[in-house]
Structures are given as structure tokens and as C-alpha cells.
Amino acid sequence: MIVVVALAGGLGAATRFVVDTGVSRGRARLPLGTLVVNVTACLLLGALTGWLLAHPGHDGVRGVVGVGFLGGYSTFSTASVEAARLLLAGRGAAGVLHAVGMLVACVAAAVAGLWLTSP
């Protein structure tokens, strides 16, 4: 099982690279790629969690998709470094907006995902 989770994590990381690169192309002022990646990861994890609440007994799905793929796909460490870089570059408002906006958007996306699939 651990090998499958690790492979799913690698697939998630590769997917993150593709999405981040596609979204960020030509838009270097703000790290929008990371925002899109983390918000979609929270939406999908919320949806998965709601689905698992309605369909108990799928620990393998939770491990491979939730821990593996979505764990490799999401990147809150990158988001933290991007916010710190904005602050250190003297762009305090952009750094705070990036950090707080991402947190609020991610929680809202997780709630939406849960709401969409909960019993």
C-alpha cells in the first residue's frame, strides 16, 4: 500500500507542476498558480471526505487519493514561502492578501467540497 500512496504522491506533484506552470505563465506579479493548486486541492479533499462519510470502508481510496495524490498535489509550504518573499520584497499588502486570501479561499473550497458530497 505504501508504494501505491507514494506513486500517487508523485503523480500529484507532477500534476501540480503542470497546473502551476499553466496558470502562472506570463503572470509573475502574484503566485496565482499556487493559489489555484491549493484551492482545488481543498475542494477535492473536501469532496473526497464527504464521499467517504457516505461510503465508509474505503480506507484504500482515502490513503491513495487523499494522502497520496492530494498530499502531493497541494503545496502549503510553497504558499508560505511565496507570502514571505512578497513581505521581504516590501510588498506587505500583497503578502498578507496572498496568505489570508489563500487561507479563506481554501477553507471555503473545503466546505464546498464537503457540502457537495456529504450525505
Side-chain angles (χ1 to χ4, degrees):
M1 180 61 140
I2 194 166
V3 173
V4 177
V5 171
L7 290 172
L11 181 62
T15 303
R16 171 180 13 126
F17 175 76
V18 170
V19 170
D20 186 28
T21 302
V23 170
S24 299
R25 184 173 295 146
R27 299 179 189 94
R29 288 192 47 85
L30 288 175
L32 292 178
T34 304
L35 175 68
V36 169
V37 163
N38 283 337
V39 170
T40 55
C42 288
L43 176 68
L44 293 172
L45 189 57
L48 175 66
T49 301
W51 185 84
L52 288 170
L53 289 172
H55 303 88
H58 291 85
D59 292 341
V61 172
R62 183 183 63 183
V64 172
V65 178
V67 176
F69 180 79
L70 292 173
Y73 178 65
S74 62
T75 178
F76 285 93
S77 57
T78 299
S80 298
V81 169
E82 289 171 345
R85 290 181 65 192
L86 287 169
L87 292 172
L88 292 173
R91 300 180 60 201
V96 170
L97 178 64
H98 176 66
V100 175
M102 182 172 301
L103 176 64
V104 170
C106 286
V107 171
V111 169
L114 273 168
W115 180 77
L116 287 172
T117 58
S118 287

Short mmCIF file of all heavy atoms in Angstrom, two decimals, residues 8 18-19 28 44 65 68 73 78 89 107 117-118:
data_model
loop_
_atom_site.label_atom_id
_atom_site.label_comp_id
_atom_site.label_asym_id
_atom_site.label_seq_id
_atom_site.Cartn_x
_atom_site.Cartn_y
_atom_site.Cartn_z
N ALA A 8 1.09 7.70 -6.06
CA ALA A 8 0.03 8.70 -6.18
C ALA A 8 0.54 10.08 -5.79
O ALA A 8 0.19 11.09 -6.41
CB ALA A 8 -1.17 8.30 -5.32
N VAL A 18 2.27 20.89 -13.59
CA VAL A 18 1.59 21.24 -14.85
C VAL A 18 0.58 22.36 -14.63
O VAL A 18 0.55 23.34 -15.39
CB VAL A 18 0.89 19.99 -15.45
CG1 VAL A 18 -0.01 20.36 -16.60
CG2 VAL A 18 1.93 18.96 -15.88
N VAL A 19 -0.23 22.25 -13.57
CA VAL A 19 -1.25 23.28 -13.30
C VAL A 19 -0.58 24.61 -12.94
O VAL A 19 -0.94 25.66 -13.49
CB VAL A 19 -2.20 22.82 -12.16
CG1 VAL A 19 -3.10 23.95 -11.70
CG2 VAL A 19 -3.02 21.61 -12.61
N ALA A 28 3.67 36.97 -13.47
CA ALA A 28 4.67 36.81 -12.43
C ALA A 28 4.45 37.71 -11.21
O ALA A 28 5.11 37.56 -10.22
CB ALA A 28 6.05 37.08 -13.01
N LEU A 44 -11.23 19.29 -3.67
CA LEU A 44 -11.24 17.84 -3.92
C LEU A 44 -11.14 17.03 -2.63
O LEU A 44 -11.80 16.00 -2.49
CB LEU A 44 -10.09 17.48 -4.88
CG LEU A 44 -10.24 18.04 -6.30
CD1 LEU A 44 -8.97 17.79 -7.10
CD2 LEU A 44 -11.45 17.42 -6.99
N VAL A 65 -5.82 8.49 -2.68
CA VAL A 65 -6.25 9.77 -3.25
C VAL A 65 -6.03 10.92 -2.26
O VAL A 65 -5.48 11.97 -2.64
CB VAL A 65 -7.74 9.71 -3.68
CG1 VAL A 65 -8.20 11.06 -4.22
CG2 VAL A 65 -7.94 8.62 -4.72
N GLY A 68 -2.02 10.39 -0.68
CA GLY A 68 -1.04 10.33 -1.76
C GLY A 68 -1.21 11.44 -2.78
O GLY A 68 -0.42 12.40 -2.80
N TYR A 73 -0.19 16.89 -4.50
CA TYR A 73 -0.70 17.99 -5.34
C TYR A 73 -0.69 19.33 -4.60
O TYR A 73 -0.27 20.34 -5.15
CB TYR A 73 -2.10 17.63 -5.81
CG TYR A 73 -2.78 18.68 -6.64
CD1 TYR A 73 -2.30 19.04 -7.89
CD2 TYR A 73 -3.94 19.30 -6.18
CE1 TYR A 73 -2.95 20.00 -8.66
CE2 TYR A 73 -4.59 20.25 -6.94
CZ TYR A 73 -4.09 20.60 -8.17
OH TYR A 73 -4.73 21.55 -8.92
N THR A 78 5.02 25.92 -0.17
CA THR A 78 5.34 26.88 -1.24
C THR A 78 4.56 28.16 -1.04
O THR A 78 5.10 29.27 -1.21
CB THR A 78 5.01 26.26 -2.61
OG1 THR A 78 5.81 25.10 -2.79
CG2 THR A 78 5.29 27.24 -3.73
N ALA A 89 10.10 41.48 0.03
CA ALA A 89 10.31 42.36 -1.14
C ALA A 89 9.64 43.73 -0.95
O ALA A 89 9.63 44.54 -1.87
CB ALA A 89 9.78 41.68 -2.40
N VAL A 107 -10.38 27.22 2.89
CA VAL A 107 -11.41 26.74 3.82
C VAL A 107 -12.77 26.74 3.13
O VAL A 107 -13.55 25.78 3.25
CB VAL A 107 -11.41 27.59 5.12
CG1 VAL A 107 -12.61 27.25 5.98
CG2 VAL A 107 -10.12 27.37 5.89
N THR A 117 -20.78 16.60 -1.48
CA THR A 117 -20.79 15.14 -1.46
C THR A 117 -21.22 14.52 -0.14
O THR A 117 -21.31 13.30 -0.06
CB THR A 117 -19.38 14.60 -1.81
OG1 THR A 117 -18.45 15.11 -0.87
CG2 THR A 117 -18.99 14.99 -3.22
N SER A 118 -21.50 15.33 0.87
CA SER A 118 -21.91 14.76 2.16
C SER A 118 -23.32 14.19 2.06
O SER A 118 -24.14 14.70 1.30
CB SER A 118 -21.87 15.83 3.25
OG SER A 118 -20.54 16.13 3.58
#
